[in-house]
């Protein structure tokens, strides 16, 4: 007689079609051309990336596109040691918030090519792009960010500027 | 006032297919675990309430009184359709990929309806009160799909 049943695996899944919409579409088409597009809020003047078509803080529509640099400052981060189901990224890896130069909100991406004990808030980083022939309508055109040989940025100063805008 | 600025019309809107999936592992608890263990052995078990009603599938508590249920009892592998609904166009995750009925089936010896699929071929073959019988999966593993479906019971002689 075999063991009694005590556990069952019950996967639940949802298949759907994502349609980008106006602002996200501009952002994704920009990536296809190797550009990172944000939008400036006409009221608070903060630059939001990815463009969402509206300022989350002011609630007003945004239509002024701003092309951002592919360099920035890493603020918060997590070192992930547990594999993420369905993800090709092998742990340990660094998931980070990166304030691109010219942007006033963090973008989530990976940081690689740095030893884990050297990771710190305020690090300067630069996008590592895939070869251009592999670019699609996706933020994965940037494989990850790598450290830039520049002095660290004072993250509290960055936070203060955004909080008071 | 804000003027909506549509995308240039030269291309279709960008879209992509996504699948969101969570692979849950659930603890069955003692009652559902025993029920599923029974299915693996091609046996359907219910549980008796303090008042003597037989619940299939079994529950830890009597839904009428909230009292803990008592002994397990084996019930029949055939029963009566209490109510049903015809599915003319099955969805990908349905148990059968041809038209079928969802039905509440009162198994012989049970006092409650058990929800499962009936492979009747055509809606005209379905009726409330008809007898149906389990069709077991080729391989049973301790899951509700061990019952592949129910099918109209050709042996009407059984009381």
């Amino acid at each position: 007689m075999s063991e009694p049943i005590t556990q069952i695996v019950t996967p639940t899944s949802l298949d759907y079609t994502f349609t980008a919409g106006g602002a996200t579409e501009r952002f994704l088409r920009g990536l296809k051309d190797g550009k990172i597009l944000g939008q400036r809020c006409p009221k608070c003047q903060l630059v939001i990336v990815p463009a969402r078509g509206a300022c989350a803080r002011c609630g007003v529509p945004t239509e002024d596109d701003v092309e951002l640099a592919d360099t920035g400052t890493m603020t918060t981060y997590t070192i992930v040691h547990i594999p993420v189901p369905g993800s090709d990224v092998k742990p340990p890896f660094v998931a980070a918030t990166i304030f691109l130069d010219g942007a006033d909100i963090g973008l989530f991406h990976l940081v690689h090519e740095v030893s884990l004990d050297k990771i710190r808030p305020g690090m300067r980083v630069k996008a590592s792009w895939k070869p251009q022939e592999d670019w699609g309508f996706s933020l994965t055109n940037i494989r990850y960010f790598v450290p830039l040989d520049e002095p660290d940025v004072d993250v509290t100063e960055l936070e203060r500027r955004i909080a008071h805008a | 006032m804000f003027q909506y600025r549509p995308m240039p019309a030269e291309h279709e809107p960008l879209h992509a297919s996504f699948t969101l999936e969570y692979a849950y592992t659930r603890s069955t608890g003692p009652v559902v675990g025993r029920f599923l263990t029974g299915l693996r052995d091609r046996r359907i078990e219910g549980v008796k309430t303090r008042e003597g009603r037989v619940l299939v599938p079994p529950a830890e508590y009597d839904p009428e009184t909230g009292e803990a249920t008592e002994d397990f009892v084996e019930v029949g592998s055939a029963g009566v359709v209490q109510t049903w609904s015809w599915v003319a166009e099955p969805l990908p995750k349905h148990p059968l990929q041809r038209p079928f009925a969802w039905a509440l089936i009162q198994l012989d010896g049970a006092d409650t309806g058990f929800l499962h699929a009936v492979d009747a071929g055509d809606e005209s073959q379905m009726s409330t009160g008809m007898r149906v019988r389990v069709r077991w999966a080729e391989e049973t593993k301790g899951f509700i799909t061990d019952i592949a479906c129910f099918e109209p019971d050709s042996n009407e002689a059984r009381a």
Side-chain angles (χ1 to χ4, degrees):
Chain A
M1 169 112 184
S2 40
E3 291 295 304
I5 303 291
T6 58
Q7 289 192 326
I8 50 173
V9 180
T10 55
T12 178
S13 67
L14 182 66
D15 301 315
Y16 62 98
T17 302
F18 168 77
T19 304
T24 303
E25 174 138 2
R26 270 204 291 285
F27 175 70
L28 296 175
R29 288 194 183 278
L31 285 168
K32 177 82 167 133
D33 297 331
K35 293 180 198 164
I36 307 171
L37 295 181
Q39 287 185 317
R40 188 183 305 280
C41 171
K43 196 167 167 198
C44 69
Q45 303 300 318
L46 293 186
V47 173
I48 300 153
V49 62
R52 292 287 184 231
C55 175
R57 183 192 304 218
C58 306
V60 299
T62 53
E63 54 173 359
D64 179 14
D65 289 345
V66 181
E67 185 176 345
L68 297 163
D70 69 351
T71 54
T73 301
M74 192 188 83
T75 57
T76 58
Y77 63 91
T78 302
I79 301 174
V80 181
H81 293 277
I82 298 168
V84 178
S87 166
D88 298 333
V89 184
K90 296 282 172 282
F93 62 87
V94 178
T97 304
I98 295 156
F99 280 71
L100 296 174
D101 296 330
D104 297 301
I105 194 167
L107 186 75
F108 290 111
H109 218 298
L110 305 170
V111 174
H112 275 293
E113 297 180 11
V114 57
S115 72
L116 297 179
D117 57 1
K118 296 279 189 333
I119 293 272
R120 66 214 175 265
M123 263 178 61
R124 297 282 298 155
V125 293
K126 181 174 175 46
S128 168
W129 294 80
K130 287 180 182 169
Q132 187 170 353
E133 60 267 27
D134 296 338
W135 289 353
F137 299 101
S138 170
L139 195 53
T140 60
N141 292 353
I142 297 174
R143 285 180 294 199
Y144 44 75
F145 283 76
V146 297
L148 256 186
D149 188 18
E150 286 181 8
D152 284 8
V153 166
D154 182 352
V155 173
T156 53
E157 193 52 45
L158 188 69
E159 285 170 352
R160 196 171 300 124
R161 180 169 63 79
I162 293 161
H164 291 94
Chain B
M1 198 177 134
F2 177 70
Q3 296 284 310
Y4 174 64
R5 181 173 51 144
M7 281 298 296
E10 68 260 29
H11 37 236
E12 287 287 300
L14 282 182
H15 57 88
S17 297
F18 278 85
T19 301
L20 177 69
E21 182 170 78
Y22 299 99
Y24 288 116
T25 299
R26 301 164 60 137
S27 297
T28 55
V31 173
V32 173
R34 171 147 173 181
F35 172 71
L36 295 174
T37 304
L39 293 185
R40 192 179 59 194
D41 300 334
R42 297 170 194 259
R43 185 178 72 242
I44 303 175
E45 286 186 312
V47 76
K48 203 168 249 185
T49 68
R50 199 162 291 176
E51 291 163 335
R53 281 164 27 91
V54 175
L55 312 179
V56 181
E60 284 186 60
Y61 299 95
D62 182 343
E64 309 255 319
T65 65
E67 290 178 322
T69 51
E70 299 183 337
D71 299 328
F72 286 91
V73 284
E74 184 171 350
V75 297
S77 57
V80 173
V81 169
Q82 295 177 311
T83 182
W84 54 279
S85 179
W86 189 249
V87 181
E89 294 173 20
L91 298 173
K93 291 172 187 172
H94 277 163
L96 295 169
Q97 292 305 303
R98 51 185 176 275
F100 71 97
W102 286 120
L104 277 177
I105 298 154
Q106 186 177 356
L107 294 169
D108 298 332
D111 293 294
T112 57
F114 178 60
L115 180 68
H116 219 293
V118 177
D119 186 12
D122 190 85
E123 187 176 358
S124 64
Q125 302 303 305
M126 288 299 302
S127 61
T128 300
M130 73 186 283
R131 286 194 58 81
V132 291
R133 175 169 294 278
V134 160
R135 182 194 300 160
W136 294 102
E138 283 183 23
E139 188 190 350
T140 58
K141 54 188 179 186
F143 203 63
I144 189 62
T145 51
D146 289 352
I147 297 177
C149 60
F150 285 77
E151 56 195 19
D153 190 0
S154 49
N155 180 11
E156 291 276 353
R158 184 165 173 172

